[in-house]
Amino acid sequence: MKLIKKGAEADIYQTTWQNSNAILKIRKTKNYRNSLLDSKIRKQRTIKESQIISQVKSFGIPAPLVYFVNLKNTSIIMQEIPGKPVHDLSESKIIQLSKSIGKLVGMLHKNGIMHGDLTTSNFIFFKNNVYVIDFGLSQNTIKPEDHAVDLRLIKEILNSAHAKIMIPAWKNFLLGYKSVVGNANYVKITKLVSDIESRGRYAQVV
Ligand SMILES: Nc1ncnc2c1ncn2[C@@H]1O[C@H](COP(=O)(O)OP(=O)(O)O)[C@@H](O)[C@H]1O
Ligand SMILES: [Mg+2]
């Protein structure tokens, strides 16, 4: 088994499952957390991630198949998507894919799911499709405020990790998002995003 990424929360290994290439995602103990609470959180996120991956696949979001869930060591074995994280693509490709990403996020929200960790590393581009991964912080919620938090995060990531292309990428994201959720929802959620941002600025001033 080959370690391919040591994340803040989990270690990611390349492995196989019944002759298919697979990913083992194992959530690690955090020593700064109380150990009972820590194992509860790891268990909860492992369950959430596998449940929500299956849910989103059922309404057409490209996501890895879940092969096996082990709650004892809080790990998931899933299909490997052998593409590239959107984060690592060229700027012109990221601008172009932002519209598809907006559509995917729109589909999640329309189906009552908040992703909870919308970064460009959590979208993998493979065979002309964008796959969504990393659902450990996802929630079933139809609250517009929760959906606005998702948009606020991806906007912030574009602003920081992809500053040079932020404006066209965000414009395309919103075009895709609006085309799925419809104008009324779009107006409601983007207004909430502005509200969050103005609160943020106020908090920085004082
Ligand atoms: N199913 C998968 N197929 C291919 N690569 C994956 C898969 N799952 C995770 N990865 C890779 O590992 C990285 C971290 O995995 P992720 O689930 O996002 O965990 P973390 O919570 O540490 O961000 C991803 O950004 C991606 O590069
Ligand atoms: Mg991730």
Side-chain angles (χ1 to χ4, degrees), residues 5 12 23 25 78-81 121-122 124 133-134:
K5 204 202 150 213
I12 307 283
I23 291 287
K25 177 172 181 173
M78 66 185 113
Q79 180 185 13
E80 178 182 21
I81 311 299
S121 300
N122 288 336
I124 299 180
I133 62 163
D134 203 1

Side-chain angles (χ1 to χ4, degrees), residues 21-106:
N21 290 334
I23 291 287
L24 170 72
K25 177 172 181 173
I26 177 159
R27 288 189 157 78
K28 298 173 297 183
T29 313
K30 300 263 187 173
N31 289 321
Y32 62 79
R33 276 201 296 245
N34 167 287
S35 71
L36 267 179
L37 177 67
D38 178 67
S39 67
K40 208 174 143 186
I41 290 174
R42 280 183 292 126
K43 230 172 230 155
Q44 221 170 38
R45 290 187 181 165
T46 303
I47 293 172
K48 231 346 139 300
E49 176 155 35
S50 54
Q51 279 177 338
I52 295 209
I53 287 178
S54 307
Q55 270 185 47
V56 304
K57 284 183 73 64
S58 77
F59 55 79
I61 300 271
L65 272 166
V66 173
Y67 294 140
F68 189 74
V69 180
N70 182 341
L71 287 185
K72 279 224 171 74
N73 69 359
T74 55
S75 69
I76 299 176
I77 298 177
M78 66 185 113
Q79 180 185 13
E80 178 182 21
I81 311 299
K84 232 185 183 189
V86 168
H87 177 274
D88 302 338
L89 299 173
S90 71
E91 295 188 322
S92 61
K93 196 69 192 164
I94 297 177
I95 294 173
Q96 185 206 329
L97 292 181
S98 291
K99 190 167 177 193
S100 316
I101 292 175
K103 283 186 185 170
L104 291 168
V105 175

Side-chain angles (χ1 to χ4, degrees), residues 30 36 105 128 139 171 192 194:
K30 300 263 187 173
L36 267 179
V105 175
N128 247 357
Q139 281 183 53
K171 186 176 147 249
L192 286 165
S194 309

